[in-house]
Amino acid sequence: LSLPGDLYRFDGVRFVRWPVPPGPSGKVLADSAGGLWVTAGELVHLKKGVVASHFELAGTHGFQSISEDPEGTVWVGLRGEDAPLCSASDHGVKCFGKNDGLPLSEINAVLPDGSGGLWLGGSTALVRWNRGGVSETYPVKAFISSLARTPDGTLWVGLFEEGPGLGLQQLRDG
């Protein structure tokens, strides 16, 4: 549970407050190992209620999305950065940009593709990206706000627009 400025954990009986550090916030991810990643001006990893690691991402204009891949790597999409995609673990952060084959300057949505790559949603394109470079790029007519994948591999794309051909789209078999 998150309220402006604070994070609360329910232990089955009561809510326990954890003050969020100052700064732009809004994204929270419960990871597969039982930890919690919070974007609060910086990227903070909590384990058993204690800060296990925290990373300042220089020049960050805003955390847009946070997701975990099957290997346990946390991926963060950023707005307005030279390197708008970062991978994080307790050992450090590595950010990716144009030199890594990433054609987007902002990433609004991040989703593992189930094959070792990522689906990335921007304001002008949907990209299926691998660390070796871009696999596929699909132009879009609106800002991508969210991504979801079904067990059969179908991708649902939420667009921040209304009207014919906008809103919610499905990508299946390319």
Side-chain angles (χ1 to χ4, degrees):
L1 176 64
S2 179
L3 300 174
D6 290 316
L7 193 63
Y8 291 83
R9 179 179 177 270
F10 184 66
D11 65 8
V13 176
R14 60 190 163 92
F15 287 96
V16 179
R17 180 179 174 267
W18 182 77
V20 175
S25 64
K27 307 297 177 192
V28 176
L29 171 74
D31 66 26
S32 59
L36 193 65
W37 292 83
V38 180
T39 62
E42 60 184 0
L43 183 60
V44 178
H45 187 201
L46 298 170
K47 286 184 179 177
K48 297 181 182 179
V50 176
V51 174
S53 57
H54 63 93
F55 305 101
E56 291 184 32
L57 301 177
T60 300
H61 293 98
F63 293 96
Q64 296 293 94
S65 182
I66 185 168
S67 187
E68 181 183 23
D69 68 21
E71 290 79 38
T73 301
V74 172
W75 293 90
V76 181
L78 304 170
R79 178 180 50 225
E81 296 297 322
D82 291 332
L85 179 67
C86 298
S87 64
S89 70
D90 284 334
H91 306 294
V93 171
K94 178 169 175 38
C95 294
F96 303 89
K98 288 183 183 184
N99 293 340
D100 304 293
L102 197 58
L104 301 172
S105 61
E106 68 179 42
I107 297 181
N108 308 319
V110 178
L111 180 72
D113 69 1
S115 301
L118 298 169
W119 285 106
L120 306 171
S123 57
T124 59
L126 171 67
V127 174
R128 189 172 189 178
W129 182 79
N130 291 306
R131 291 183 198 201
V134 175
S135 300
E136 302 159 277
T137 300
Y138 302 89
V140 294
K141 298 177 183 176
F143 176 99
I144 295 174
S145 60
S146 58
L147 299 169
R149 190 171 52 88
T150 64
D152 70 359
T154 300
L155 182 69
W156 287 93
V157 181
L159 301 172
F160 196 67
E161 289 289 330
E162 295 179 13
L166 299 174
L168 185 62
Q169 293 187 353
Q170 184 185 79
L171 180 68
R172 183 177 36 201
D173 301 325

